[in-house]
Amino acid sequence: MQRFLEVSLETKINGILLGVITLIVVSLSVFYLYHSSQEYYGNAERLTLQSAKTISFLPSLVNGGDLEDNETVQTIANQYIFENDMNFVIIKDQEGMIVSHPIASRIGTYEAYDEDGKARIFGAYSIDYTDQYIEPAIIGIAPIYAGDEAKQISGVVKVGYFQSSIIDKIIDKLYQLIIISAAFIFISFFISRWFGNYIKSETLGYEPKQITMILKNRENIFSSLDEGIVASDLEGNIIYLNDAAISYLDAPADYEGRNVSINAYISEKLIRDDSRSYNGVKYFEIQRNGKEIVTIVNDLYEKGEIAGHVLILRDMTEMSELANKLSVVESLFDDLRAQSHEYKNRLHLISGLLEMERFQSIREVLNEEIDSLDLYQKNLKNIEEDHIKALLIAKMNKAAEKRIDFVIDKESHFEDMNYERVVVNSLITIISNLIDNAIEAVGGEEHPKIHFYIDHFDGWLEIVVEDNGPGFKDKDQIFKKGYSTKGTESERGYGLYNVIANVELMNGYIDVERNNDRTRFTVEIPLSGRGG
């Protein structure tokens, strides 16, 4: 049994089909052979009985009433045997004397009435099986009525048909069935081969064990991925989810067989016009369960026609956090470099003043530097979130290097309330890009100035960045991807686009105003998603 299970799929199919077809052919042949044998025996019974009746009514036996003319009776019996394909005819008179017999030596001898006694006594017609005449045979028994006026039983006729003749016919039929069955089995062999090849082509030549192993490996691989994989048909019914996708979407694990629709999660994005494209692949961002997820959309095809969609979900929270941290670190590094240069200049200044013994001037330079540090601490006193504070320090140093008056509103306030990482990352992106945009905007002004304000109240966070730059010619275009007022380089045109993308991701809104030669960006963000 084990060796049978190890054979190829094609061999199994061939064996099963051949076995089934052979079983059907043999069963039908046995049934037909049994039915034919019963029919042969039934025909033999009817034929022998009918023949016995016919002979018993022959005029030469009935009218004369004399069965002593053995020669005449024997001639009649032989003629009937020849004409009707009977094997033998036996005629006995009333006393049991044999008048006609296939064995000539038995004619004139006495045979006691046994199975034919009912015909002699009661005049009954009957059929019997016997082996006392040459070989086993079926015999039909009929009484002979003789006399001119009053008919009386004068003897008995027994017509026999050898069972060997029936067996010969059954064997001939069996030979025919064997030939026909062999032909059917031979044809079924080619049918099974064709069917086996067809099944194998449908399974791409893989064996069942290989298919099972591929499916198990695929499931193990997909389950081990950090990216979520979602497949749906054209109607939006989910046909596959890996473990990561179930976690990202908070979808039911028993989605199979439940016609779970992806519409409740992200499928409406599949037809959105604002889905971005890269090298022909659509993608967009969603926020689920506190995670910032980039969704990549590909189409599924079957026989050249689109059959559904496959979505790859990538958690960008950690990557965004790392990118923001790197951005802050890079800004701090640049600021340290600038401050190092600035402090070196101050040290050279102090060194020169020492050489000149201008101690009062040295005191003024040091006091100015101390006042600058106190101003940093004073402006940032109520901003307690470390990431935001570090970012603002970096931006203040950057502005100072460019001789830009960067003022943080003294009413600014932002508590450290253990916000979720995705919230902090988005805030860093928004604040950093707004300030960088303002620094760039005021670069050509004679007295460049930037005003920054942040505070939260009633569950909302407000961020305001104001500058005295020239503003924008086309207010409706500034948030579009790639738009820039400073040139067409590939690195430009993404700052404000990233701002609006993160504001929308957090379900907030942004407003731009131009009043009194000042440009003001106001961002309002709901802060309902906080960590514990």
Side-chain angles (χ1 to χ4, degrees), residues 74 88-90 98 100-107 132-134:
Q74 185 68 21
F88 63 87
V89 175
I90 298 174
I98 298 176
S100 174
H101 199 282
I103 301 175
S105 60
R106 295 288 303 273
I107 298 175
Q132 63 178 341
Y133 302 115
I134 305 175

Side-chain angles (χ1 to χ4, degrees), residues 32-231:
Y32 179 73
L33 192 63
Y34 173 78
H35 180 74
S36 297
S37 64
Q38 293 296 108
E39 185 177 1
Y40 287 146
Y41 277 97
N43 290 339
E45 291 176 356
R46 289 190 297 272
L47 184 60
T48 54
L49 182 59
Q50 185 62 38
S51 298
K53 290 180 180 180
T54 302
I55 294 173
S56 69
F57 286 108
L58 291 176
S60 57
L61 299 179
V62 174
N63 294 337
D66 187 3
L67 297 178
E68 294 180 0
D69 190 354
N70 297 341
E71 185 175 350
T72 301
V73 174
Q74 185 68 21
T75 300
I76 294 171
N78 291 337
Q79 183 179 358
Y80 192 87
I81 291 172
F82 176 77
E83 292 177 352
N84 294 277
D85 195 27
M86 291 292 102
N87 292 119
F88 63 87
V89 175
I90 298 174
I91 302 175
K92 297 194 303 184
D93 62 14
Q94 181 70 7
E95 303 300 329
M97 189 67 66
I98 298 176
V99 180
S100 174
H101 199 282
I103 301 175
S105 60
R106 295 288 303 273
I107 298 175
T109 62
Y110 173 79
E111 180 185 83
Y113 278 96
D114 188 6
E115 74 280 348
D116 51 359
K118 292 184 291 183
R120 174 194 174 196
I121 299 173
F122 304 107
Y125 298 95
S126 62
I127 297 172
D128 199 9
Y129 287 75
T130 182
D131 57 357
Q132 63 178 341
Y133 302 115
I134 305 175
E135 60 179 86
I138 300 172
I139 58 173
I141 305 170
I144 301 174
Y145 290 91
D148 295 331
E149 295 181 0
K151 298 291 186 180
Q152 295 182 350
I153 297 175
S154 61
V156 175
V157 177
K158 295 192 288 187
V159 178
Y161 194 88
F162 293 142
Q163 294 188 47
S164 60
S165 298
I166 299 176
I167 294 174
D168 290 340
K169 291 182 179 181
I170 294 174
I171 292 174
D172 290 340
K173 185 66 68 175
L174 179 61
Y175 288 152
Q176 295 177 6
L177 290 174
I178 290 174
I179 294 173
I180 295 173
S181 300
F184 271 109
I185 293 173
F186 181 75
I187 294 172
S188 67
F189 172 77
F190 291 98
I191 294 175
S192 65
R193 286 290 301 272
W194 171 83
F195 188 72
N197 290 331
Y198 171 76
I199 294 297
K200 194 171 183 179
S201 66
E202 289 294 307
T203 59
L204 304 178
Y206 291 111
E207 296 294 326
K209 284 186 176 180
Q210 293 175 309
I211 295 174
T212 302
M213 185 61 65
I214 290 173
L215 292 176
K216 287 183 178 179
N217 289 338
R218 186 201 70 169
E219 186 61 33
N220 291 335
I221 292 172
F222 286 171
S223 297
S224 64
L225 293 176
D226 292 332
E227 289 83 0
I229 299 177
V230 183

Side-chain angles (χ1 to χ4, degrees), residues 212-278:
T212 302
M213 185 61 65
I214 290 173
L215 292 176
K216 287 183 178 179
N217 289 338
R218 186 201 70 169
E219 186 61 33
N220 291 335
I221 292 172
F222 286 171
S223 297
S224 64
L225 293 176
D226 292 332
E227 289 83 0
I229 299 177
V230 183
S232 70
D233 57 22
L234 290 177
E235 287 72 30
N237 295 320
I238 295 176
I239 57 179
Y240 179 78
L241 286 172
N242 70 345
D243 292 343
I246 292 174
S247 175
Y248 289 162
L249 303 179
D250 197 21
D254 57 341
Y255 64 91
E256 294 180 305
R258 291 182 51 188
N259 293 327
V260 178
S261 176
I262 199 173
N263 293 329
Y265 305 102
I266 52 178
S267 71
E268 71 278 0
K269 299 274 189 178
L270 299 179
I271 58 175
R272 276 181 47 171
D273 294 333
D274 62 348
S275 295
R276 299 186 289 279
S277 178
Y278 179 76

